[in-house]
RNA sequence: GCCCCGUUAGCUCAAUUGGUCAGAGCAUCUGACUCUUAAUCAGAGGGUUCCUGGUUCGAGUCCAGGACGGGGCACCA
């Protein structure tokens, strides 16, 4: 959609009401914008409601802060400039401009140099220092910051009226010569300024930014502007997600999208969110896992598929849990869980590279070496090592569990064993560790180990005591799968079990699902690790919150 | 759902045992300044101390209930 060439095409906007096409002073030779119509020789008196005198009783209140900015907005409009700006072509990324300026570097004490190449930049005013008829601005765009110098003589009296109306947080475009100030700071010496958008809200403390975790999350837009490393963290997240996709594409995987609205939430043990479809008048639940539909696609001949998307679990929030989170699941025909261990390591290593993660990550009090091959240890070996019990003897497990106050009465021995493992072993798994060969009874979707039907070919990857990935050799025997769906484990409530009958899934298996490895990775937790973030809410742009109370 | 902790100006933070304690910096406004760097200097204004009650001569401070957040537990293979 092209920008309107004539202000008359935009009868309702600010510029058309003030007889100018652009907000730029002066009409720079560099400008890619059409030349403006004649500017009023003397702009109308720029103060509809003249600036308050010293001591006006609201100059520091929230309303007073806003009024000061709105007064400047009206002054800008009175200058014939649209305070909400318009298309601005040809701005160079500030990071590129800085690169351009490096060879011109001058030491502090040398005379200022303002004769470098001509550049055009656009961004937000982060700092603004006025020294009378000279203003220094720190301008930030998506990937960098650079100092701008605006001089009254250099830009001319008309543009200077606009400079008087600038506030922290405003968006402007600058044309100028690249050079260095007297103190050796790389600087764009402005020859023209284009006003792009007024900011009506007061920015946070310019040194500390937002500190309050609640404000940072509710007003992420402010946190992204002012928070130290915040934008970089979410850029890293974007790159990690792209890298995960690329690693899978490189191995011949197809990305697919399964249904998020389902009539039964399968594939994991979690309570779903419930909703309702009006036209069909049917209850629906939001998905809690991607698994069962991706396996249907294995049956359909999509031999390597993955989905990277949101799942929803109606459970508590914690520094490691958000009710909606991003999950990767990948399935590879003719592979098994060992195949998926190799894939998991590749995904994490590739992602660490693009995220700029150091090879040794210091996170949550652990020093984690991501470069060396991840340890592989069996579930039973870890129990023997950490607890000192005999994992093959139910009596020994029960005794050890009871000693820790774990409820054992009437519960399946494998469920007790699972509780014991969580209570004792998980926290010890600091270095990346594939825990392999789980008790079969707690793995209703997993193939049993050949000749050892009490063990399931499953692994979970733990890093810093936190579960990061979960994978199995997929169960493809439809009769056994149906039986496991029917079996309710003793001691588990129905909504705590993942054994939920799905007859269509059984029918799919009856058509023949290839032997396969399947993998799930919690993307948010992976981003936490790779960006060394302590809370999942630091890597989710808009984590869940209760509504903000009124007044 | 349970336990502990927190909430003071737009933002970041002070305020002794309940007693001139409503304070600072940034931001805002006025003035000075053509090389500043969280600019500086001079001046001014800005408060429902989260809310509702209670105790007290007196509450930001103590008590009860509520709201929101942080941490832990439960939940979550």
């Amino acid at each position: 959609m092209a920008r309107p060439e004539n202000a008359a095409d935009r009868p309702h906007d600010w510029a058309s009401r003030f007889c100018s096409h652009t907000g730029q002073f002066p009409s720079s030779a560099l400008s890619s914008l059409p030349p403006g119509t004649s500017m009023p020789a003397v702009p109308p008196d720029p103060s509809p409601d003249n600036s308050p005198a010293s001591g006006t009783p609201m100059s520091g209140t929230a309303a007073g802060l806003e009024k000061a900015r709105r007064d400047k907005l009206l002054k800008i409009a009175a200058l014939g400039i649209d305070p909400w700006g318009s298309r601005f072509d040809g701005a160079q990324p500030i990071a590129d401009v800085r690169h351009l300026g490096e060879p011109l570097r001058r030491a502090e004490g040398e005379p200022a140099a303002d004769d470098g190449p001509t550049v055009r930049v656009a961004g937000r005013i982060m700092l603004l220092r006025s020294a009378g008829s000279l203003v220094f601005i720190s301008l930030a765009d998506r990937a960098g910051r650079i100092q701008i110098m605006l001089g009254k003589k250099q830009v001319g009296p008309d543009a200077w009226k606009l400079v008087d109306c600038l506030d922290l947080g405003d968006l402007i475009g600058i044309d100028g010569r690249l050079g260095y100030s007297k103190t050796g700071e790389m600087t764009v010496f402005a020859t023209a300024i284009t006003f792009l958008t007024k900011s009506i809200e007061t920015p946070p403390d310019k040194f500390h930014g937002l500190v309050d975790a609640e404000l940072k999350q509710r007003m992420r837009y402010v946190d992204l502007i002012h928070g130290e490393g915040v934008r970089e963290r979410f850029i890293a997240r974007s790159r990690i997600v792209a890298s995960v996709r690329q690693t899978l594409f490189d191995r011949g995987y197809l990305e697919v999208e399964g249904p998020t609205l389902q009539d039964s939430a399968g594939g994991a043990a979690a309570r779903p969110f419930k909703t309702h479809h009006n036209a069909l008048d049917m209850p629906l639940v939001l998905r809690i896992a991607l698994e069962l539909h991706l396996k249907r696609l294995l049956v359909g001949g999509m031999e390597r598929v993955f989905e990277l998307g949101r799942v929803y679990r109606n459970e508590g929030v914690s520094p490691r849990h958000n009710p909606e989170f991003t999950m990767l699941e990948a399935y590879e025909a003719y592979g098994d869980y060992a195949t998926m261990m190799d894939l998991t390591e590749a995904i994490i290593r590739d992602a660490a590279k693009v995220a700029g993660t150091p090879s040794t990550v210091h996170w949550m009090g652990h020093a984690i070496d991501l470069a060396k091959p991840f340890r592989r240890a069996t579930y039973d070996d870890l129990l023997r090592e950490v607890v000192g019990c005999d994992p093959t003897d139910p009596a020994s497990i029960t005794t050890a569990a009871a000693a820790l106050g774990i409820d054992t009465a009437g519960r399946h021995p494998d469920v007790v064993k699972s509780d014991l493992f969580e209570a004792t072993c998980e926290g010890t798994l600091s270095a990346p560790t594939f825990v392999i060969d789980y008790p079969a009874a707690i793995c209703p979707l997993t193939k049993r180990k050949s000749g050892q039907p009490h063990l399931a070919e499953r692994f979970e990857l733990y890093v810093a005591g936190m579960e990061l990935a979960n994978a199995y050799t997929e169960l493809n025997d439809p009769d056994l799968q149906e039986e496991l769906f029917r079996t309710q484990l003793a001691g588990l409530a129905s909504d705590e079990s993942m054994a939920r009958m799905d007859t269509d899934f059984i029918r799919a298996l009856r058509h023949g699902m290839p032997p396969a490895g399947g993998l799930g990775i919690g993307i948010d937790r992976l981003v936490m690790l790779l960006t060394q973030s302590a809370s999942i809410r630091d890597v989710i742009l808009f984590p869940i919150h209760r509504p903000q109370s009124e007044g």
Side-chain angles (χ1 to χ4, degrees):
Chain A
M1 174 80 182
R3 174 177 48 88
E5 287 302 313
N6 191 317
D9 295 340
R10 304 176 293 173
H12 300 300
D13 78 8
W14 283 87
S16 66
R17 288 157 59 185
F18 294 101
C19 310
S20 174
H21 282 165
T22 77
Q24 185 174 34
F25 285 119
S27 290
S28 165
L30 300 164
S31 174
S32 63
L33 299 173
T37 52
S38 60
M39 206 97 62
V42 179
D45 183 70
S47 44
D49 179 23
N50 230 328
S51 49
S54 170
T56 294
M58 59 185 279
S59 61
T61 62
L65 293 173
E66 179 178 337
K67 184 175 184 304
R69 283 166 176 264
R70 287 195 180 275
D71 286 346
K72 289 177 187 168
L73 184 150
L74 292 174
K75 283 187 198 172
I76 291 167
L79 291 170
I81 297 168
D82 182 352
W84 305 111
S86 59
R87 176 168 170 170
F88 186 69
D89 287 327
Q92 299 153 266
I94 286 173
D96 292 1
V97 171
R98 295 203 73 93
H99 191 69
L100 206 60
E102 268 319 310
L104 313 173
R105 180 163 290 288
R106 299 223 169 174
E108 187 172 346
E110 288 187 64
D114 58 358
D115 55 354
T118 300
V119 295
R120 162 171 276 203
V121 292
R124 193 180 294 276
I125 299 176
M126 303 302 293
L127 298 173
L128 189 150
R129 301 176 283 277
S130 173
S133 315
L134 199 60
V135 166
F136 290 92
I137 285 171
S138 290
L139 194 73
D141 74 1
R142 62 190 176 279
R145 275 196 194 200
I146 197 163
Q147 175 167 274
I148 308 295
M149 196 191 87
L150 286 154
K152 189 175 185 178
K153 280 181 195 154
Q154 289 84 340
V155 298
D158 285 341
W160 198 250
K161 290 182 183 125
L162 173 60
V163 173
D164 271 339
C165 299
L166 297 180
D167 280 311
L168 293 176
D170 289 353
L171 299 169
I172 57 173
I174 291 289
D175 293 289
R177 306 287 296 262
L178 189 56
Y180 283 83
S181 70
K182 279 181 186 166
T183 49
E185 174 86 12
M186 192 188 298
T187 301
V188 176
F189 295 87
T191 52
I193 174 171
T194 306
F195 197 79
L196 293 175
T197 287
K198 191 67 196 163
S199 174
I200 296 303
E201 287 281 347
T202 308
D205 185 292
K206 66 187 175 189
F207 187 61
H208 299 95
L210 285 184
V211 169
D212 183 78
E214 181 177 355
L215 291 180
K216 286 165 74 75
Q217 293 163 31
R218 288 192 196 269
M219 297 197 289
R220 187 67 86 187
Y221 35 89
V222 176
D223 192 34
L224 284 164
I225 295 168
H226 297 98
E228 176 85 29
V230 175
R231 204 181 311 165
E232 289 74 12
R233 190 162 69 237
F234 285 103
I235 289 170
R237 178 174 178 133
S238 175
R239 290 183 177 151
I240 288 165
V241 168
S243 166
V244 169
R245 285 200 165 94
Q246 194 57 51
T247 303
L248 290 160
F249 289 150
D250 288 347
R251 285 162 175 73
Y253 277 81
L254 289 176
E255 180 169 14
V256 298
E257 290 137 297
T260 59
L261 293 170
Q262 305 178 346
D263 60 4
S264 168
R271 268 190 286 263
F273 286 92
K274 295 176 176 141
T275 185
H276 183 263
H277 189 285
N278 289 341
L280 298 178
D281 189 23
M282 67 184 288
L284 288 168
V285 292
L286 300 187
R287 68 180 176 188
I288 58 173
L290 315 175
E291 174 144 1
L292 299 184
H293 290 86
L294 293 179
K295 286 188 189 173
R296 285 172 169 89
L297 299 178
L298 282 183
V299 173
M302 302 180 96
E303 294 180 340
R304 296 184 176 199
V305 285
F306 76 91
E307 178 164 8
L308 207 169
R310 211 70 64 82
V311 298
Y312 306 86
R313 295 186 180 178
N314 207 337
E315 59 196 31
V317 299
S318 85
R320 290 161 301 281
H321 299 264
N322 195 63
E324 55 175 315
F325 63 100
T326 301
M327 174 89 104
L328 165 75
E329 289 196 29
Y331 292 83
E332 181 167 330
Y334 313 121
D336 66 3
Y337 72 149
T339 314
M340 302 327 264
M341 285 185 227
D342 297 338
L343 178 62
T344 302
E345 288 198 53
I347 286 171
I348 293 173
R349 289 226 177 77
D350 291 352
K353 246 176 261 168
V354 300
T357 307
S359 62
T360 299
V361 179
H362 294 274
W363 183 57
M364 311 290 277
H366 298 82
I368 299 150
D369 185 351
L370 290 175
K372 76 179 178 204
F374 297 173
R375 180 188 179 198
R376 301 181 184 196
T378 71
Y379 197 90
D380 281 359
D381 282 348
L382 285 167
L383 276 173
R384 256 188 290 268
E385 175 186 317
V386 175
V387 184
C389 63
D390 177 2
T392 61
D393 174 15
S396 174
I397 292 291
T398 303
T399 306
L404 291 167
I406 293 169
D407 190 16
T408 58
R411 306 176 77 208
H412 189 287
D414 280 355
V415 175
V416 174
K417 195 173 174 180
S418 170
D419 282 355
L420 179 65
F421 184 88
E422 282 177 27
T424 56
C425 296
E426 278 189 13
T428 70
L429 301 172
S430 175
T433 304
F434 291 113
V435 179
I436 63 180
D437 294 343
Y438 273 63
I442 59 170
C443 308
L445 297 163
T446 311
K447 187 175 287 229
R448 276 57 181 128
K449 224 172 161 54
S450 175
Q452 294 177 272
H454 61 288
L455 288 181
E457 289 201 345
R458 168 184 181 180
F459 77 74
E460 289 192 357
L461 173 64
Y462 283 88
V463 180
M466 185 178 75
E467 179 192 343
L468 200 60
N470 181 21
Y472 353 114
T473 302
E474 300 298 336
L475 178 59
N476 65 343
D477 173 344
D479 296 337
L480 177 56
Q481 183 68 80
E482 185 167 7
E483 184 191 326
L484 293 178
F485 273 163
R486 287 191 197 290
T487 307
Q488 194 64 274
L489 280 183
L492 283 184
S494 65
D495 61 1
E496 287 173 0
S497 168
M498 58 199 293
R500 283 185 194 140
M501 180 56 71
D502 184 332
T503 53
D504 178 73
F505 178 66
I506 298 296
R507 181 169 59 192
L509 292 187
R510 288 158 62 97
H511 281 86
M513 186 180 90
L519 165 68
I521 296 180
I523 294 297
D524 310 272
R525 290 179 175 184
L526 177 61
V527 175
M528 286 171 68
L529 169 67
L530 297 183
T531 61
Q532 288 108 81
S533 301
S535 169
I536 201 168
R537 292 189 287 275
D538 293 332
V539 300
I540 292 175
L541 282 166
F542 300 104
I544 194 163
H545 274 279
R546 289 192 155 101
Q548 214 154 9
S549 59
E550 297 295 323

